[in-house]
Amino acid sequence: SESVADNATSIYTQENQDENAEVSTIKPEDLGGVLLSAEEPTMTRQLNVLSNIVKRTLLFGGGQELLVLSETLDADKPAFIQRWYPETRDQTQNLSISSEKEKRPGVQYYNCLVQLLKDCYEKGEMTDLNPPFPLIQSYANAYERLTCSLVELGSGYAKPISLKRSQMALPKTAQEEFGRFAQWEASVRKSSPDVSAYPDDMMGSYQVKDEVAGKTIGISTVVLGPGGKVLVAPPMQGLRWRLDPGPTHLDTCTFQVLSDDGAVLQYKGFIDRGARLEARFSKRPIVIRGAVTFQMRDGEAAIMGDDYWKDMLPVNVKTETTKFVMTKSPINLEEKK
């Protein structure tokens, strides 16, 4: 029995020595690489994966996601250099090398991805979509494809043309002319001193019917309160509402609620301006029709004012499968008699 115990002790001691030896061989450059994959066969494939992650974050993410991703990529940079530029890994420890003086093409592009995230987080949106650091032609083309896809897919962080410049552009089609007229009409209405984002006649309790393919799937009550406040029954949580002029003869009413699973649902509906004015005298209920959308960075807010984002979280319409009809409760029409 003593020999068995001695053998067990020696085996345990040997295992501890092997484990300690493995731990002692871990080097600083082995750490990191949270977003890097050892399965990617080439650096181009690796950078393509990282570009897709950056693109999805700039499309669907908020400020906190941008900050976390930029810091994670910063931390992964030494591991990236160790993998793809092992002959120059000593430069990784030299923090005095700035991104402007970086000569390794892959690291240059990597730095541009990190800087793009940082700029979007700090500035809110980017109108200059050129690479922040020098790039060789092939990587410059890749960076251009990335920024172009952000604009095309509606990222609110990438806005190469300002609202004023877009209004001055000459229309080339009838649809562009119609869009320019709608922007002009909205800007004229906003110049009036009595225009309010929270008009008194829109406040009150509404019955909201959610519809899919013409069938009602749910009915709820929403209260649009003063100052943009929204009240809904728990577990949902009301966020903000506002009314914006346009397009054309319509007014746009938008309100947002936070669902119990953390998703932000935006209800954007339209009401005929004439019908809204007529309801003040006839006491007929106000009816608003529109679509329900999910949270996403918005790239189509050209006709909205600069104060729009003070109320609304960035949301963009992708698929309009869920419609809604909201009707103001008659009791609210008698409140100001």
Side-chain angles (χ1 to χ4, degrees):
S1 60
E2 293 181 358
S3 61
V4 173
D6 292 340
N7 289 337
T9 302
S10 61
I11 292 174
Y12 177 78
T13 303
Q14 182 63 36
E15 290 179 348
N16 284 344
Q17 291 176 350
D18 294 341
E19 183 177 352
N20 291 335
E22 291 178 0
V23 172
S24 64
T25 59
I26 296 178
K27 301 178 182 179
E29 56 266 24
D30 296 328
L31 302 176
V34 176
L35 296 177
L36 304 182
S37 173
E39 299 179 356
E40 300 301 337
T42 64
M43 181 175 62
T44 302
R45 288 277 297 273
Q46 180 67 85
L47 289 174
N48 184 60
V49 171
L50 296 178
S51 297
N52 289 334
I53 295 175
V54 171
K55 180 174 71 172
R56 288 194 295 269
T57 304
L58 290 173
L59 285 173
F60 298 97
Q64 190 63 29
E65 287 79 10
L66 266 64
L67 178 61
V68 171
L69 181 57
S70 64
E71 292 178 347
T72 303
L73 288 177
D74 250 345
D76 284 357
K77 183 178 176 180
F80 177 84
I81 297 176
Q82 169 68 17
R83 171 79 188 279
W84 301 112
Y85 294 96
E87 70 282 358
T88 61
R89 61 180 179 271
D90 292 339
Q91 298 182 24
T92 305
Q93 308 301 328
N94 188 355
L95 300 180
S96 62
I97 298 179
S98 64
S99 299
E100 291 80 2
K101 296 181 180 180
E102 178 61 60
K103 300 299 182 184
R104 293 166 289 189
V107 182
Q108 289 177 328
Y109 184 80
Y110 192 101
N111 290 338
C112 287
L113 293 179
V114 176
Q115 192 61 42
L116 176 63
L117 291 168
K118 291 181 178 179
D119 289 342
C120 290
Y121 171 74
E122 295 173 357
K123 301 177 182 179
E125 65 179 48
M126 295 293 296
T127 56
D128 183 5
L129 301 183
N130 293 318
F133 307 119
L135 292 175
I136 63 174
Q137 188 60 47
S138 58
Y139 283 107
N141 294 338
Y143 188 86
E144 182 180 1
R145 288 195 297 271
L146 170 63
T147 54
C148 287
S149 65
L150 292 175
V151 175
E152 292 173 358
L153 295 176
S155 171
Y157 292 110
K159 296 182 179 180
I161 301 178
S162 65
L163 174 60
K164 293 182 179 179
R165 289 182 58 190
S166 64
Q167 289 176 338
M168 296 300 294
L170 294 177
K172 298 180 180 180
T173 64
Q175 185 175 2
E176 291 181 1
E177 176 64 39
F178 178 77
R180 190 173 71 151
F181 174 78
Q183 292 182 3
W184 171 83
E185 190 266 351
S187 64
V188 170
R189 294 198 65 229
K190 290 176 182 177
S191 63
S192 302
D194 59 343
V195 172
S196 171
Y198 324 109
D200 294 341
D201 63 322
M202 292 296 296
M203 298 181 192
S205 178
Y206 290 80
Q207 183 187 69
V208 180
K209 296 181 179 180
D210 293 323
E211 300 178 347
V212 173
K215 297 182 179 179
T216 301
I217 61 173
I219 301 177
S220 58
T221 300
V222 176
V223 178
L224 305 184
K229 295 182 180 180
V230 177
L231 300 178
V232 294
M236 305 285 280
Q237 178 181 346
L239 297 178
R240 301 287 295 176
W241 76 274
R242 64 180 289 118
L243 187 77
D244 293 282
T248 62
H249 65 288
L250 303 175
D251 285 330
T252 303
C253 182
T254 309
F255 71 92
Q256 295 179 329
V257 296
L258 179 65
S259 64
D260 54 353
D261 61 357
V264 175
L265 302 179
Q266 174 169 284
Y267 289 72
K268 178 179 287 188
F270 304 97
I271 176 175
D272 185 275
R273 190 172 306 133
R276 176 186 159 210
L277 296 176
E278 188 266 344
R280 298 178 182 177
F281 305 98
S282 66
K283 306 304 179 183
R284 294 178 182 176
I286 294 177
V287 179
I288 303 173
R289 303 176 186 271
V292 185
T293 58
F294 57 90
Q295 182 175 2
M296 180 178 171
R297 294 297 303 189
D298 190 356
E300 300 179 355
I303 64 173
M304 302 304 179
D306 295 336
D307 61 338
Y308 182 77
W309 300 122
K310 294 179 181 179
D311 288 314
M312 297 294 108
L313 291 176
V315 173
N316 191 15
V317 177
K318 293 302 292 182
T319 55
E320 299 183 357
T321 55
T322 303
K323 308 288 186 179
F324 76 92
V325 178
M326 57 188 296
T327 306
K328 192 173 184 181
S329 301
I331 185 174
N332 293 283
L333 295 175
E334 304 293 331
E335 289 177 350
K336 298 189 177 182
K337 277 189 173 181

